[in-house]
Amino acid sequence: MADSILIVEDDQDIAELIKVNMQDLGLEVTHCDNGEDAIQQALENDYSLLMLDLNLPGCSGLDVCRKVREAKQEQAILMLTARTSELDRVLGLELGADDYMAKPFSVRELQARVHALLRRVHLLQNNQAQDPVVDSSVICHGQLMINQRTHEVVLREQSLDLTSTEFDLLSFMAQHPGQVFSRTQLLDKVWGYQHSGYEHTVNSHINRLRNKLVAGQPDSNNKVFPHIIQTVFGVGYKFSPEGVA
């Protein structure tokens, strides 16, 4: 069964260009040109990927991203933004978008990004479909448990709601405790590509993941827990087992 994609773009020329190239990849394509319809379509149907322009009439792409993410934690979302709108890109990533591309963009790069996101969607689906008796892909560090089959994360007996990208990022780093990864390395290992200028993608997801990990640490007697994801200044980030000891 072919993967399906919802394109939300009010510029008809750009929408048609994207549609043709997505169909060339064998994807089933649905298009809408406003935020209200996009929210309805995304919530009522199951799409492998939501491709979302942020500059929409009426309900903005940021609103669409927020509302869809609240209802569907694992929905893959790729934002399309104007090259100059850095603030919108950061806000979109903070609201839960998995990745972004700046206009004008290369069609080949767009296809590569879509391939990378769909590979992760398929991996998640395969993990969830595996027989739990056969599969034992559970990562444990202290009071942190990551179940790669059920996509479940429990920290100090509290279940955390993570997006698919946040889950992949935490899982990857937890498999390499203490190892420092640069932003470029994380783009390659987690997002599946290397491209300069997209470090905001890593920064925003690290910040949002940290906030959720902190929320999962009960403040017992004002105890301060060390960061689970730590910054190594001038180098990158690392997973610290001490944070979940």
Side-chain angles (χ1 to χ4, degrees), residues 5 7 17-29 49 51 107 110-111 114:
I5 180 172
I7 300 171
L17 174 66
I18 297 173
K19 180 179 179 179
V20 169
N21 283 279
M22 293 301 100
Q23 288 174 334
D24 285 345
L25 295 179
L27 303 179
E28 294 183 357
V29 178
L49 176 64
M51 190 176 297
V107 170
L110 176 63
Q111 291 178 328
V114 169

Side-chain angles (χ1 to χ4, degrees), residues 2-50:
D3 287 303
S4 60
I5 180 172
L6 175 62
I7 300 171
V8 188
E9 171 63 65
D10 63 324
D11 186 311
Q12 294 300 319
D13 291 336
I14 295 178
E16 187 61 29
L17 174 66
I18 297 173
K19 180 179 179 179
V20 169
N21 283 279
M22 293 301 100
Q23 288 174 334
D24 285 345
L25 295 179
L27 303 179
E28 294 183 357
V29 178
T30 302
H31 169 243
C32 62
D33 59 6
N34 65 84
E36 289 80 3
D37 287 347
I39 294 172
Q40 182 177 355
Q41 291 271 15
L43 297 186
E44 292 181 355
N45 301 281
D46 292 325
Y47 294 102
S48 302
L49 176 64
L50 172 59

